[in-house]
Amino acid sequence: MRSEETFYSIALRHCPLIGDVVFRKLVGEVGSAKEVWELSKTGLQNIFGIGKKIALEIGDPKHLKFAENEIEFCKKNNIVINLRHFGDLPILLNECEDAPAILYQKGKFDSLKKPISIVGTRNISLYGKQFIHNFIDGIKGGNAITVSGLALGVDAEVHEVSLDHHLATAAVLAHGFHTLYPSKHRKLSERILSNGGVLFTEFNSSQKPDRENFIQRNRIIAGLAPATIVVETAFSGGSISTATFANNYNREVYALPGRIDEKYSQGCNQLIYQNKAAVISTIPNLIDQLGFNNKSEKIGELFPNNEIRILLSDSQQKIIDQLDKRIPLSLDDISLKLEIPSYKILPDLLQLEISGYIRALSGRQYLAL
């Protein structure tokens, strides 16, 4: 049953004009890929939105031959064929309306680990590299798996630094497993697999790394994780599409701000300005927001935490000492505890919020970070 459904699913998805959404509609209406394949032309055209052109392709033996060859290719290369309608996709990806009907996989994706997608420009700067190193160093003791696209620049840095920190990483490809782009990352892809990571692609072995595939690939990167971090990107960079997909999926997006005259910070700054991404102020705050806190280790920052604390006044430190990370405290309560008028506390509260020590809630309530 399983192998038969895989066979017909590949054949059906190979038909022109049958994308992931149409595939899902057909299988949902009829029951299985095999039943869709065996349905009469009249029966197919009676399904709303399925026209004559699509109906004519379904049943063509050339697609069955392709499916036969594809399954053989996957067997020879230890590739797992995941079917969405069988519930094979990673849970978060499966929630996306336009998730792939078929997802090819090499390696292991540990569903117990928490994925975090990290993307950015091919023209990574020292600033971007420093952020990636410090962030991954901060989550290395946690139950994390990084997700990126195996491209040059930010993607490669994410995968390599993850491996250096013994952290599993997942790479999403924009082509079939018959090739690897860029070819210089073949050894990196092998390292990913040998260190408990995974390679994903929705593209079969006839599909090359065409330009349009990269945008399509980006939705999977966004869909695999509850949050996406954009490290550096220009206004029109491919990472903007990943952030857009993540927003559409109601996932969190974070962007690393930079100088307004730096080309590859402008896209991040724009995402923040348009409220399409939360600003990354410090790495500890980001790690805390993502739920990757590792209390047993010191966490690196863009600006070391101990250096900031030296600058705190006595009054600011007293305020922090009163606050809890889970139970908010009102301005009046803080004033009462410190026996200081509220108007004298407000400037310190504002400075602590800007510095990333506290979070202000509605109704003048405050939490420690």
Side-chain angles (χ1 to χ4, degrees):
M1 170 62 183
R2 172 65 193 232
S3 59
E4 191 175 56
E5 185 64 9
T6 299
F7 174 66
Y8 284 106
S9 293
I10 294 173
L12 187 61
R13 185 62 181 82
H14 189 248
C15 295
L17 304 179
I18 297 185
D20 298 309
V21 175
V22 173
F23 181 100
R24 189 181 183 194
K25 179 180 181 62
L26 284 166
V27 172
E29 291 272 354
V30 181
S32 70
K34 182 185 179 184
E35 289 172 294
V36 171
W37 194 263
E38 294 174 344
L39 197 62
S40 68
K41 303 302 179 188
T42 303
L44 286 167
Q45 291 183 61
N46 284 336
I47 300 174
F48 180 76
I50 305 302
K52 186 178 180 180
K53 287 185 178 180
I54 293 178
L56 285 174
E57 285 290 338
I58 297 174
D60 191 325
K62 69 183 178 185
H63 301 304
L64 294 177
K65 182 61 177 175
F66 174 84
E68 184 181 328
N69 293 335
E70 189 69 8
I71 289 173
E72 186 61 29
F73 172 81
C74 291
K75 285 180 179 178
K76 286 181 179 178
N77 292 279
N78 298 314
I79 298 166
V80 176
I81 304 171
N82 297 301
L83 303 181
R84 183 184 186 184
H85 63 289
F86 267 29
D88 296 338
L89 269 58
I91 295 172
L92 288 174
L93 182 59
N94 189 59
E95 293 175 358
C96 305
E97 180 66 25
D98 58 351
I102 301 171
L103 185 67
Y104 299 94
Q105 173 181 338
K106 291 189 78 170
K108 181 183 179 183
F109 184 77
D110 189 344
S111 61
L112 297 178
K113 291 187 179 294
K114 185 174 180 180
I116 176 67
S117 295
I118 310 174
V119 296
T121 178
R122 287 168 168 75
N123 300 285
I124 187 171
S125 70
L126 289 176
Y127 174 61
K129 287 184 178 182
Q130 180 189 356
F131 168 79
I132 291 170
H133 280 253
N134 290 347
F135 174 72
I136 291 177
D137 183 60
I139 66 172
K140 66 183 179 183
N143 194 34
I145 177 170
T146 59
V147 180
S148 201
L150 202 69
L152 300 170
V154 167
D155 292 18
E157 195 75 14
V158 168
H159 297 308
E160 288 172 350
V161 175
S162 297
L163 293 170
D164 290 343
H165 285 79
H166 307 290
L167 204 64
T169 186
V172 186
L173 310 181
H175 51 74
F177 277 123
H178 62 297
T179 187
L180 191 87
Y181 179 85
S183 58
K184 66 180 292 183
H185 285 167
R186 185 166 296 280
K187 286 187 177 180
L188 176 56
S189 70
E190 292 169 355
R191 278 188 70 202
I192 290 172
L193 294 177
S194 62
N195 285 274
V198 63
L199 305 180
F200 284 126
T201 184
E202 64 183 306
F203 300 103
N204 61 52
S205 64
S206 72
Q207 293 174 287
K208 300 176 181 179
D210 295 325
R211 185 175 181 179
E212 61 271 17
N213 291 358
F214 289 89
I215 298 295
Q216 192 169 328
R217 178 274 310 269
N218 289 348
R219 85 188 194 290
I220 296 180
I221 295 175
L224 281 168
T228 292
I229 297 171
V230 183
V231 179
E232 291 179 304
T233 184
F235 282 125
S236 58
S239 301
I240 299 296
S241 69
T242 312
T244 301
F245 284 124
N247 277 307
N248 291 341
Y249 297 149
N250 293 316
R251 308 290 170 80
E252 297 294 328
V253 179
Y254 298 88
L256 182 67
R259 285 173 37 172
I260 61 174
D261 60 344
E262 290 288 350
K263 178 180 179 180
Y264 297 106
S265 285
Q266 289 172 346
C268 289
N269 294 342
Q270 185 73 358
L271 286 171
I272 295 166
Y273 172 73
Q274 294 175 336
N275 292 319
K276 293 180 178 179
V279 64
I280 297 172
S281 56
T282 68
I283 289 177
N285 285 354
L286 176 62
I287 291 173
D288 185 56
Q289 289 172 316
L290 293 171
F292 286 125
N293 252 330
N294 181 20
K295 302 296 185 183
S296 64
E297 296 187 23
K298 290 185 178 180
I299 298 170
E301 294 186 65
L302 290 178
F303 306 98
N305 194 49
N306 58 347
E307 290 182 14
I308 295 177
R309 290 198 180 277
I310 292 171
L311 301 177
L312 292 183
S313 66
D314 289 341
S315 60
Q316 290 169 346
Q317 189 62 56
K318 287 178 181 177
I319 291 172
I320 291 175
D321 292 341
Q322 298 298 323
L323 295 179
D324 188 83
K325 291 190 174 185
R326 291 173 295 179
I327 303 172
L329 202 63
S330 71
L331 174 61
D332 290 340
D333 288 336
I334 300 170
S335 175
L336 187 63
K337 285 176 178 289
L338 295 177
E339 298 181 348
I340 300 173
S342 58
Y343 72 89
K344 289 188 176 182
I345 297 173
L346 277 172
D348 283 335
L349 286 170
L350 179 60
Q351 186 58 52
L352 288 169
E353 184 181 358
I354 291 171
S355 299
Y357 281 92
I358 67 172
R359 180 182 301 163
L361 307 176
S362 60
R364 289 187 171 182
Q365 302 272 321
Y366 298 91
L367 283 174
L369 291 176

